[in-house]
Amino acid sequence: MKYPQSLIIFSVFLLYACNHSQDSGDNIYIGGQIVNPHTHYVILSQNERNLDTLFLNQKNQFGKQYENLEEGIYTLRHNPEDQVMYVEPGDSVLVWLNTLQFDKSMNFSGVGSAKSSFLLDMLLNNQENNKLILSYYKFNPEKFSRVTDSIREQRRELLANLKDKHDFSENFIDIANTVIDYEYYDLRERYTFLIKKYNTQFSDEIPENFHNYRSKIDFNNEALQDYKVYTNLIDNYLRSKSIENCRTSEGLDRSCFELGDYTNIRRRIVLIDSLTSLPYMKNDFLDRLVTRGIIMSKNQDRVDSILNVLDNIDYRKENEAKDLAEIHTNYFEGTSVQNKKLINTAREQVTYDDVITKPTVVFIWSMYAPSHYKWQHNNIKTLRKKYPELNFIGVNIDQNETENWLRVISNNNYNKDYEYQISSREVSKEVFRKYIHKIFFINPRGIIVDGDAKLYNPDFETELLEFLNQ
């Protein structure tokens, strides 16, 4: 792996300082450098606990020696993004990253850094699987099993080779092997969902023992609850099980596969509540599911249905859910946004009435979900060329952060003619940010004709054409 010269120089300095610290044998040193920082600090956390704030110096460097950190996974947060690292007493881990490509640019170096590098590589592999699975689900179950068995074996061989070169603890080896298995399980969950929905001719060929691994999933793995390879597996397991439960209780039809449908979301809410007793992880999943259930609801009855299921669940953000439900009533299909105010990139206040001159697709985004907004804009750019009859505009919801918003637009070369920011909001920033998955189809009179479209849906372009032909 190639390291920037600035990091090499920085690493030599910090390792020298660390190695000469008094009684440093059982201490842990964490330091690094951030290129194009978003803020002047990074936060070290574990699960939901913020342990320390490390401020950047004039060279955007940070570093600190810790005496009492236990071995395990920690998260280094540099808003709006974060990444996990694994440290144990005696480690001196240095991080270098460029925020323009947060995960892909990240490098770990120093004593004990191989553990963090392995977890990062596994995360990047997990992200790449998003693309690979689109080919894998076209395989029959037997061929799919051979391919994924081979992938798991490659991961195990890599870990064995790293273990020969580095003095990994038994605890890390156990975690690393679990992560390899969980990636493998995750591929099976994704495959199950996709062939049942899109490739049904293979559905009946799934052998009875295909999901035997499910009994090995630990839904209360406290050490991994901040690691996306683990939480992605649970997320995809919930999807698959919600469909199986739909088949059992309601008779399987195409609606069972509508993940944005409130009945599907209700099933997943009840399921995650029954599966895990970890408050942090449970509430994180509940937050996502409740949010989606509310903002995808087409009427008040469906909103109430989501809120009612929370009566028997310990969900700490229930008041936020009620706030979100209240604001969502302003965005039901058939309501007008004509007079709602926006700010354009010239910092002028305008209304939707000023902006909408033809059928318009509005997508909501936040700077605090960078991977999501980049994915959104890339897809919208393609659609904008393909459907010139439509107007596609992005509405950023990070009110009062105009300078940062304009900087993101400039850094990513987004077309300023299509970018706006909300001028006011009725609820807290945290609540409003839950709208980042929303797509609105708005007619030239400023009336919402569809608020349930999903950009990731394979049928999205069909929905666009139906909107055009109304």
Side-chain angles (χ1 to χ4, degrees), residues 200-248:
T200 54
Q201 71 267 29
F202 292 144
S203 182
D204 293 333
E205 296 182 27
I206 297 179
E208 289 186 7
N209 63 354
F210 191 80
H211 294 116
N212 281 357
Y213 62 85
R214 285 179 172 173
S215 62
K216 300 176 184 178
I217 300 175
D218 179 5
F219 294 97
N220 291 288
N221 193 319
E222 188 172 5
L224 289 176
Q225 63 181 323
D226 235 0
Y227 188 46
K228 291 185 178 66
V229 174
Y230 174 55
T231 56
N232 285 345
L233 162 63
I234 295 177
D235 192 28
N236 287 308
Y237 172 86
L238 293 176
R239 291 197 316 174
S240 297
K241 288 298 290 183
S242 71
I243 294 166
E244 291 171 17
N245 292 345
C246 181
R247 175 197 291 269
T248 300

Side-chain angles (χ1 to χ4, degrees), residues 395-425:
V395 175
N396 174 267
I397 59 176
D398 303 310
Q399 186 191 7
N400 296 329
E401 298 185 57
T402 302
E403 293 297 335
N404 288 336
W405 167 59
L406 292 174
R407 178 174 58 81
V408 169
I409 290 173
S410 177
N411 286 345
N412 289 280
N413 295 315
Y414 297 150
N415 191 321
K416 294 182 179 180
D417 293 337
Y418 305 125
E419 298 292 342
Y420 298 86
Q421 188 177 57
I422 60 170
S423 176
S424 63
R425 61 172 182 267

Side-chain angles (χ1 to χ4, degrees), residues 412-462:
N412 289 280
N413 295 315
Y414 297 150
N415 191 321
K416 294 182 179 180
D417 293 337
Y418 305 125
E419 298 292 342
Y420 298 86
Q421 188 177 57
I422 60 170
S423 176
S424 63
R425 61 172 182 267
E426 299 88 343
V427 294
S428 70
K429 181 188 297 186
E430 287 69 27
V431 171
F432 216 108
R433 280 181 184 153
K434 295 177 179 180
Y435 253 77
I436 62 172
H437 295 283
K438 288 296 285 184
I439 296 281
F440 294 105
F441 292 173
I442 303 175
N443 68 23
R445 293 178 288 112
I447 305 297
I448 298 175
V449 298
D450 188 351
D452 197 29
K454 307 170 191 69
L455 187 56
Y456 56 80
N457 192 328
D459 298 325
F460 183 74
E461 289 195 51
T462 301

